Amino acid sequence: MKATMCSCVDYGLHLTRCAPNKAVEALQRIENHAMRLVTGAARSTSCEALRHWLGIHSIRNRQTILGAKEILRIANTSNHLLYQEIVNRQDEATPQRLTTVKSWVK
């Protein structure tokens, strides 16, 4: 499940970042159905329990993680076009957030 379904959805995940909620919810329903088919779980089984058991995140959470990884990649690449914008942000919490995110992003 994780290797096939998630890889297909994750391939175009950056495109769904600006998609309407209805479109993302439709993708999430398809993924939920696939989780139930793969595991043989009953319809009454919560999607959160299946995600925990399978070790995957919801589409919105994967979008957030992907965004955090991109910010970290830019912050660690001094010749990136957006490097100065990320590093010189006026928000004082940004360095703390980057440090926090680095600890849980692989």
Side-chain angles (χ1 to χ4, degrees):
M1 164 70 192
K2 192 173 184 178
T4 55
M5 182 68 181
C6 289
S7 65
C8 291
V9 173
D10 288 351
Y11 180 74
L13 195 61
H14 62 283
L15 298 173
T16 62
R17 190 72 177 151
C18 59
N21 281 337
K22 271 188 143 178
V24 176
E25 288 168 6
L27 282 173
Q28 191 64 66
R29 279 193 300 273
I30 293 168
E31 189 173 273
N32 295 345
H33 184 67
M35 286 190 302
R36 287 195 174 94
L37 283 175
V38 168
T39 60
R43 184 143 172 82
S44 60
T45 307
S46 76
C47 295
E48 290 79 17
L50 289 172
R51 277 192 214 101
H52 179 75
W53 187 54
L54 293 170
I56 61 175
H57 298 280
S58 68
I59 291 176
R60 287 290 186 203
N61 286 349
R62 291 199 312 261
Q63 286 174 332
T64 303
I65 292 168
L66 181 66
K69 285 181 178 180
E70 285 302 311
I71 289 174
L72 285 173
R73 186 180 64 80
I74 292 168
N76 290 323
T77 309
S78 59
N79 61 349
H80 194 281
L81 294 173
L82 296 174
Y83 177 79
Q84 290 300 324
E85 187 173 331
I86 296 292
V87 173
N88 295 332
R89 287 192 56 165
Q90 296 300 318
D91 185 5
E92 290 82 27
T94 300
Q96 176 60 35
R97 284 188 199 130
L98 287 175
T99 305
T100 304
V101 171
K102 278 183 185 179
S103 66
W104 58 267
V105 173
K106 295 177 183 176

